[in-house]
Amino acid sequence: MKSTWWKEAVIYQIYPRSFKDSNGDGIGDLQGIISKLDYIARLGVDAIWLNPIFTSPNDDNGYDISDYRNIMADFGTMADFDELLHQMHLRKLKLILDLVPNHSSDEHFWFQESKKSRDNPFRDYYHWWPAEKGKPNHRESYFDVNRDAWAYDQQTNAYYLHYFTKKQPDLNWENPKLRAEIYDILRFWFDKGVDGFRMDVVPFISKDTSFPPIPDKYRGNFGDFYAQGPHLHQYLKEMNREVLSRYNCVSIAEGVGVKPEDVELFIDPQRQELDMLYHFEGMSIGYTSDGFKEPDPAGYSLLQFKQVYSKWDKAFEKGWGTIYLGNHDQPRMLSRWGNDNDEFRERSSKLLHTFLLTMRATPFIYNGDELGMSNIKFEDINNYRDIETLNMHQYLLQTGGDVERFMRAQQQTARDNGRTPFQWDNAANAGFSQADPWLKVNPNYVKINAAEQEDDPDSILNYVRQLILLRKKYPTLIYGDYQLLDAANPQVYSYARTNKEGKFLIALNFSDKDASFNVDVDFANVQIVQNNYLSQQKSKMLRPWEAVIYRLT
Ligand code: TEU
Ligand code: CA
């Protein structure tokens, strides 16, 4: 039987570039992480997921890998990695790395070879389309300056496919040799003792290499089409058979484009593919859908939010799910789902953590959220470092798009909002680095930082620590059935978690105003086990951003 430690785990996601710089070059690194392992262990989390740490020219901050078996020079050496893993295991922390199986860097040896000639032995490691056949059917690119996923390469008079930037050519999974290479890479890291992988855009790996036109219904949602490749599940089964089943590891799909009705194809243990998946539906709530990634001026609808998370709870039932509200691809969860004004910052951050840590799914905490870090909201394009923002900006300039509107929207939605350096203390550069950091520090670090919160019993940080302990103390909060209550309440999200060991009632007021939740509770028989207000009251009236966990006695 495969161990399922990951169902009970809380996972802490670290963006290594922004976590802690140990050598004064303005870039976070592995020694920096090592120096903060005690902080992480004290949070009470069980595992760390690191965004890619492999050799990369950093066109997309490590999601463009040029050597899958080496450490990015910015981050350190293999000796640093071995030390990190050792130090983590000493503290009973598991390590989850990031596999980027869909594309490599164009500077990877395979691609350098592949582009040399049409009969190069590495030619079929990538998707090439001979130009004499004309231009292939359109494929939309996420990050390309022209939104075009086909790049012309003169050397062999052919186009190659890149769903992301031109420097991220898509690997050809239809080629068994390429698949064997990826399995070997996985074995290399598992043999070192790594505990699992998060798999970047793994639903995209299989492609119909005749590249038919994309049906109209996918317009504006091309990811949904990319996630429907013909041999996807065959390859996942093969990867499981060849590698994953042979190690005590966890595998987590980044589930871009995966619909709730298809999720069990990935995570039903009977099918022997992957263990968990994280969905994207929550991440589109409250955005207008016109490609700008623009928040709806009316805000997001809590009714929709509840409906989406309830739907996915059900979708994960045959296997096991994950839950997150922010990561390195998203703005800060506090700015997006809470209220980052001084008045409600702490309260709403605590409420969001209460949600994350009481749902039936493995919670992911994104580094810095446990302090209530918020969006930096850059005004000047020159402050951005993210290729997604920079290339979209370029594209709009070229095509006469509404650049001003785009810049406004990016203040709320840009990925760099979630990537600013971790706020350790109120020293220069937030204690992140001796040097100017690669991306500006949020000026609010003087009041929002880990040192400030460490000894304050009422801080967000200590609240998160308490919640993690609570989840471990009461397995009902992990395994209990989830039931949405008072579904039509537009301000309050409340739900029950129940199993034979107990029953909990969670009430969350997602608003700046008082609200009542309309659930039958016999207050004589409940005990408050967590509350983000110090003065506790058993009442159907909830104060602004109040979060209460009741235990039925
Ligand atoms: O993200 C995949 C993905 O679908 C992104 O396009 C995501 O929707 C986008 O970042 C939202 O703005 C993964 C990684 O998490 C991301 O950091 C990489 O840039 C991308 O793959 C390419 O590897
Ligand atoms: Ca450094």
Side-chain angles (χ1 to χ4, degrees), residues 436-494:
D436 267 356
W438 70 278
L439 179 69
K440 277 194 192 314
V441 174
N442 192 318
N444 67 18
Y445 78 89
V446 282
K447 55 172 200 269
I448 301 171
N449 63 66
E452 186 76 30
Q453 296 190 26
E454 179 62 47
D455 299 320
D456 171 1
D458 190 32
S459 65
I460 303 170
L461 177 60
N462 279 314
Y463 183 89
V464 174
R465 288 171 174 158
Q466 287 162 21
L467 275 176
I468 293 175
L469 286 176
L470 200 71
R471 189 174 170 91
K472 307 244 176 246
K473 181 169 172 196
Y474 297 115
T476 304
L477 291 174
I478 299 172
Y479 292 111
D481 288 340
Y482 159 92
Q483 188 198 357
L484 176 65
L485 304 168
D486 193 13
N489 192 321
Q491 272 170 283
V492 177
Y493 191 167
S494 54

Side-chain angles (χ1 to χ4, degrees), residues 39 43 333-334 339 341-342 344-354 357 365 368-374 447-450 452-454 456-468 530 532:
Y39 168 84
L43 259 178
M333 74 168 183
L334 170 65
N339 182 335
N341 289 341
D342 277 346
F344 295 120
R345 179 171 54 80
E346 292 191 20
R347 210 76 78 189
S348 64
S349 168
K350 288 173 182 172
L351 174 138
L352 295 173
H353 283 100
T354 312
L357 288 155
I365 297 180
D369 281 350
E370 78 277 21
L371 306 176
M373 282 178 63
S374 57
K447 55 172 200 269
I448 301 171
N449 63 66
E452 186 76 30
Q453 296 190 26
E454 179 62 47
D456 171 1
D458 190 32
S459 65
I460 303 170
L461 177 60
N462 279 314
Y463 183 89
V464 174
R465 288 171 174 158
Q466 287 162 21
L467 275 176
I468 293 175
Q530 191 78 24
N532 65 350

Side-chain angles (χ1 to χ4, degrees), residues 267-331:
I267 60 160
D268 177 354
Q270 306 261 319
R271 292 174 52 84
Q272 306 197 2
E273 296 191 12
L274 302 175
D275 296 319
M276 298 192 277
L277 174 145
Y278 62 86
H279 70 81
F280 274 64
E281 200 172 341
M283 293 300 122
S284 55
I285 298 172
Y287 282 176
T288 59
S289 58
D290 57 3
F292 263 88
K293 285 218 299 187
E294 186 176 50
D296 191 325
Y300 69 92
S301 145
L302 185 68
L303 296 177
Q304 188 193 359
F305 189 94
K306 296 198 268 188
Q307 183 237 325
V308 165
Y309 284 97
S310 303
K311 176 168 69 179
W312 280 88
D313 174 78
K314 190 113 197 84
F316 288 134
E317 230 160 25
K318 274 211 175 152
W320 191 253
T322 64
I323 190 140
Y324 71 104
L325 287 174
N327 59 31
H328 66 293
D329 288 337
Q330 303 295 334

Side-chain angles (χ1 to χ4, degrees), residues 16-17 20-32 73-76 432-433:
R17 227 179 164 68
K20 174 70 189 169
D21 173 22
S22 72
N23 63 347
D25 62 358
I27 301 173
D29 46 53
L30 300 188
Q31 283 297 336
D74 286 343
F75 291 169
F432 163 73
S433 172

Side-chain angles (χ1 to χ4, degrees), residues 202-327:
V202 70
F204 290 5
I205 53 177
S206 174
K207 280 122 187 157
D208 176 345
T209 54
S210 71
F211 295 103
I214 299 180
D216 273 350
K217 65 172 178 180
Y218 294 106
R219 193 161 303 183
N221 262 329
F222 45 95
D224 294 5
F225 174 76
Y226 295 165
Q228 304 281 336
H231 305 120
L232 170 60
H233 292 286
Q234 178 192 325
Y235 299 156
L236 293 178
K237 284 194 161 62
E238 183 182 80
M239 177 160 66
N240 185 297
R241 205 168 53 237
E242 297 279 322
V243 193
L244 301 177
S245 60
R246 297 166 193 244
Y247 295 88
N248 182 11
C249 63
V250 63
S251 52
I252 308 156
E254 187 199 21
V256 200
V258 178
K259 300 273 161 257
E261 55 273 23
D262 292 331
V263 68
E264 64 184 52
L265 298 177
F266 293 79
I267 60 160
D268 177 354
Q270 306 261 319
R271 292 174 52 84
Q272 306 197 2
E273 296 191 12
L274 302 175
D275 296 319
M276 298 192 277
L277 174 145
Y278 62 86
H279 70 81
F280 274 64
E281 200 172 341
M283 293 300 122
S284 55
I285 298 172
Y287 282 176
T288 59
S289 58
D290 57 3
F292 263 88
K293 285 218 299 187
E294 186 176 50
D296 191 325
Y300 69 92
S301 145
L302 185 68
L303 296 177
Q304 188 193 359
F305 189 94
K306 296 198 268 188
Q307 183 237 325
V308 165
Y309 284 97
S310 303
K311 176 168 69 179
W312 280 88
D313 174 78
K314 190 113 197 84
F316 288 134
E317 230 160 25
K318 274 211 175 152
W320 191 253
T322 64
I323 190 140
Y324 71 104
L325 287 174
N327 59 31

